[in-house]
Amino acid sequence: MHFALAREGCNKVHRVNLPRHDPRTLPNDDIEGNSDVSTSQADAFTAYHRHGFVRVATCTPRVRPADVTFNRDSLLEEMRRADAARVDLLVCPELSLSSYAIDDLHMQDALLNAVEDALAVLIEASAEMTPVILLGAPLRREGRLYNCAIAISRGVVLGVVPKSYLPNYREFYEKRWFAHGRDTSGEITVAGRRVPFGDDLIFEATDLPGLLFHAEICEDLWTPAPPSSDAALGGALILANLSASNIVIGKSSDRHLLCRSQSMRAFAAYVYSAAGPGESTTDLAWDGQGMIHELGDLLAESTRFPLEPELTIADVDCGRIQSERMRTGSFHDAARHRASSFRRVTFTHRPHYENAGLVRPVRRFPYVPNRESHLDQDCYEAFNIQVEGLRRRFEATKSKTMVIGISGGLDSTHALIVAAKACDRMGIPRDRILGFTMPGFATSEGTKSNAWKLMRAMGISADEIDIRPAARQMLEDMDHPFSDGEPVYDITFENVQAGLRTDYLFRLANQRQGFVIGTGDLSELALGWCTYGVGDQMSHYAVNTGVPKTLIQYLIRWSSRSGQFDAETDKVLDAILETEISPELVPAGEGEEIQSTEAMIGPYELNDFFLFHTMRYGLTPSKVAFLAWHAWHDTEQGRWPDGFPQAKRHGYDLETIRHWLEKFLHRFFATSQFKRSALPNGPKVSAGGALSPRGDWRAPSDSVATPWLDELRSNVPESWPKG
């Protein structure tokens, strides 16, 4: 076994031998090549490594100024804890072996010799540990002293990265002691071995896709062009920062801003580990802030000012990062225009590929605002994107009225409140909205009553057209069995009603110089749960086309709770939110429940979860199922959206998730695209995407779902394994 170091774009390869592996701990890729050993479908499904995740951690070890032996033992303790936690990459603070705030003591040979001796002990101790360790220490090379990040894996130093930018302002004096590492490339002797040295190193595990990382040190991040930017363009997915940033008021927020923006701009994970209590407080103080960001999302953060050592752990989705880079051509354009030459150090990591849980927040409702501090802002933006889209379209068409069918259900309710706000913004009376309730054969008194109450509360022009006589005539003209009194409630029976409603609305719009506001939403378009051409798939402008059902529910709830309308309107909105989602096209027999949409196509909260991860990131069905189980199996775990009703907090087992995901894949990929290809205009609302053929989603109408269904059936067990 070996690790190889090669400069991209040239042929030079440097090889260093690694210790032989114990055959009992070979990576599963090697095991699967052995006919005597096999991995079950269930075992493979439960392992986060199989789904593109890499477990990373920051640590805040105990530290004493210049007490190298104490610091060595503290680091060793954190290494052992990280190993027990199945961590793949552990990031320690800057100069954690010597401690940072020791000033001229950095130049003392006794201390530097002690650092090298301690480093040898830690390297040896790492031989039986899983994590790759990035620790900070001062190292001498060719008559210069460098502030270094040292990458260690299973008893071997993979390489040493010197700090590029040395702060020498205000409280910092690093140029007094250290040489900068910019444009350095070569080797350094560590623990008796020559290893790669330079600011041009990227480290890559050959047996764990995604464990591809770069190290920079503290001040490097605070510069206009951090080294990690070039490293990301050079392929690094995980950017690590070993820091000894002292704390002053407001600096924690600055660090968050830098780490979040760097992870987002570089399409990467950013792992930040700052020095904590124990550093010298002669003139400064330390808070031990550790945090892990991924594509701008905060996955985990440490306790600040901890009294005890702390590991901050998160599973980074390197597959998601790679997906985003693949989808964003400008990322690769930047890589070409800012070509960087990195040496890539490859090594064997030997990941466990076992069920070790999943340490990361997984949102149950990926389309629903999830930031408590920004809740009103996010809802305001979502709502007003629709309002502004409708306002502009009404202005452009020079129409006099807006025509909308009001059913008393969620979608038409949301479209109506958007239209009402558009009228308010334009300064025109709401009676320019022409609302029609159109009862059919299965319309309940409850929804019809809610429709009338809502129209009256909103102050629009309201009317009712009973479509049953026209529907009976059409069914009779078609010689449908229902016209002879037979209880035949087939798709024709349903679509006659749906089509007539749309026919009336379009002709009413012709008659009254208006245009039809569509009510169909993103979830229905994903599932094809809409009537093509002459039903809720068609309109003059589709304000809900970019809004999934779960977001519509939440926005209506937010509108009521935040005082967007008066108390009477809020009361009706609350009643509509409690109503069963139903197309109300098939009459219920005596003692039967009303037609339930979710009983036929699955819970919208699951379907929206499937849609987001399938459309936005192109995840495999098995990974979607893996994430869905972690998000939904336990109602007591994880955060629910703010104000989400306790009674509506559902949980789902893997068998249920797998069942509805299979249905979703068939509907989404094989049967529904022709409806999406003919969508009317409507605004995109969420970064999760929309299904307009002119925007996020372009696909053939005659595709099949076979690759997705095969992947699901091959890789997802029918239930979560026990034990």
Side-chain angles (χ1 to χ4, degrees), residues 627-661:
L627 290 171
W629 186 86
H630 280 286
W632 286 99
H633 79 281
D634 187 347
T635 59
E636 300 301 318
Q637 297 296 317
R639 283 186 55 193
W640 290 86
D642 187 60
F644 198 87
Q646 189 72 36
K648 293 184 177 291
R649 298 185 178 189
H650 305 133
Y652 301 100
D653 58 23
L654 184 62
E655 182 179 0
T656 303
I657 290 167
R658 188 183 190 274
H659 170 78
W660 289 119
L661 179 54

Side-chain angles (χ1 to χ4, degrees), residues 455-504:
M455 290 190 290
R456 291 187 180 115
M458 299 297 292
I460 70 171
S461 299
D463 206 345
E464 180 175 316
I465 297 176
D466 188 341
I467 66 167
R468 287 173 292 185
R472 286 194 181 95
Q473 182 63 53
M474 182 176 287
L475 290 166
E476 183 178 343
D477 292 343
M478 296 171 62
D479 197 23
H480 190 277
F482 178 80
S483 64
D484 293 327
E486 296 182 37
V488 176
Y489 306 129
D490 55 11
I491 190 67
T492 303
F493 177 83
E494 294 189 30
N495 282 345
V496 161
Q497 297 172 79
L500 278 170
R501 287 178 174 134
T502 306
D503 285 341
Y504 274 116

Side-chain angles (χ1 to χ4, degrees), residues 186-300:
E187 293 183 331
I188 188 173
T189 300
V190 180
R193 287 193 177 190
R194 298 291 287 174
V195 299
F197 176 88
D199 68 340
D200 58 346
L201 301 181
I202 292 176
F203 304 93
E204 179 181 17
T206 57
D207 53 351
L208 180 58
L211 184 49
L212 182 58
F213 65 92
H214 170 267
E216 62 186 5
I217 303 173
C218 201
E219 182 74 9
D220 293 346
L221 176 62
W222 296 75
T223 63
S228 56
S229 295
D230 283 336
L233 295 172
L237 301 173
I238 301 171
L239 311 175
N241 189 303
L242 295 75
S243 176
S245 174
N246 64 295
I247 188 61
V248 294
I249 295 171
K251 195 171 186 180
S252 172
S253 297
D254 293 343
R255 296 176 190 145
H256 268 296
L257 177 62
L258 288 169
C259 293
R260 183 185 179 201
S261 62
Q262 187 66 353
S263 73
M264 192 168 188
R265 182 188 302 109
F267 291 80
Y270 202 88
V271 186
Y272 180 90
S273 180
E279 285 283 357
S280 172
T281 56
T282 300
D283 291 299
L284 303 171
W286 317 85
D287 66 335
Q289 186 170 24
M291 51 188 160
I292 302 165
H293 286 80
E294 175 188 301
L295 297 174
D297 297 330
L298 178 64
L299 300 184

Side-chain angles (χ1 to χ4, degrees), residues 406-417 444-458 549 552-554 556-557 560 568-582 584 594 648:
I406 308 297
S407 68
L410 290 168
D411 293 344
S412 64
T413 295
H414 189 62
L416 176 55
I417 63 178
S444 68
E445 283 303 314
T447 54
K448 180 179 172 181
S449 174
N450 283 339
W452 271 106
K453 288 176 183 177
L454 181 64
M455 290 190 290
R456 291 187 180 115
M458 299 297 292
K549 192 78 75 177
I552 282 178
Q553 290 171 314
Y554 196 76
I556 293 174
R557 190 173 289 117
S560 174
E568 183 182 356
T569 303
D570 292 345
K571 185 177 179 180
V572 183
L573 295 179
D574 290 341
I576 290 170
L577 283 167
E578 295 303 317
T579 303
E580 171 75 38
I581 300 173
S582 171
E584 293 195 327
I594 65 168
K648 293 184 177 291

Side-chain angles (χ1 to χ4, degrees), residues 133-168:
I133 300 131
L134 278 172
L135 63 84
L139 292 180
R140 293 168 287 193
R141 178 180 183 265
E142 298 178 0
R144 295 178 179 176
L145 184 65
Y146 293 92
N147 181 344
C148 297
I150 303 152
I152 302 169
S153 174
R154 297 191 181 274
V156 171
V157 175
L158 301 178
V160 176
V161 179
K163 189 172 183 175
S164 290
Y165 298 98
L166 303 175
N168 221 62

